[in-house]
Amino acid sequence: MDYLPKGKEFKEARDIIYDEKNIFLNLGKKKSDNNGIRKSDGRMTFQPVMNEILDIIVSWVAESQNPFDLYREFYELNERHGYGHEQYDKTSLSIAKSMYKLSEKD
């Protein structure tokens, strides 16, 4: 949290990053599956799951600290595990797609 952009103007981007992280920590459970309630808590995840995401965060803090890169890492982590992604309204979906696009490496 310390390395993500602060302020109201970045809240939606932070929330999208948190959603991707929480989908992984909750083994694929999404808020959009249950009308905004996940019915699980990422703080109670299994240790190997926590270690996998911790490795990503430590690497991100050491290397780039670009929030779009962190979003991409979480997004691709969920893809690898077949967890899918949160279902957003049109505005949030366009922000999520833009964040992914901005993180692409040349």
Side-chain angles (χ1 to χ4, degrees):
M1 288 176 45
D2 289 343
Y3 297 96
L4 292 175
K6 313 268 185 285
K8 290 180 183 178
E9 65 271 18
F10 297 108
K11 182 183 181 333
E12 192 164 15
R14 281 193 312 271
D15 288 346
I16 290 170
I17 293 169
Y18 295 153
D19 284 341
E20 285 297 322
K21 172 198 60 125
N22 286 324
I23 289 170
F24 179 72
L25 290 177
N26 290 287
L27 305 177
K29 292 185 174 91
K30 298 178 269 311
K31 291 186 295 185
S32 57
D33 292 343
N34 296 297
N35 296 322
I37 299 170
R38 194 178 311 280
K39 297 185 178 182
S40 65
D41 190 333
R43 296 173 293 180
M44 299 170 62
T45 195
F46 298 103
Q47 192 64 41
V49 173
M50 188 66 76
N51 288 341
E52 191 170 355
I53 208 158
L54 182 61
D55 290 343
I56 289 172
I57 293 170
V58 168
S59 175
W60 173 76
V61 168
E63 293 173 8
S64 83
Q65 297 181 17
N66 179 332
F68 304 129
D69 291 343
L70 183 62
Y71 173 72
R72 178 184 267 290
E73 289 291 329
F74 290 163
Y75 185 96
E76 290 176 350
L77 182 65
N78 285 324
E79 285 287 307
R80 281 194 302 274
H81 287 273
Y83 292 156
H85 310 284
E86 205 61 72
Q87 300 298 313
Y88 297 110
D89 62 21
K90 285 185 178 183
T91 304
S92 297
L93 181 60
S94 66
I95 291 171
K97 286 181 179 180
S98 296
M99 288 171 59
Y100 190 83
K101 185 77 172 158
L102 285 169
S103 70
E104 289 181 343
K105 307 286 189 236
D106 290 329

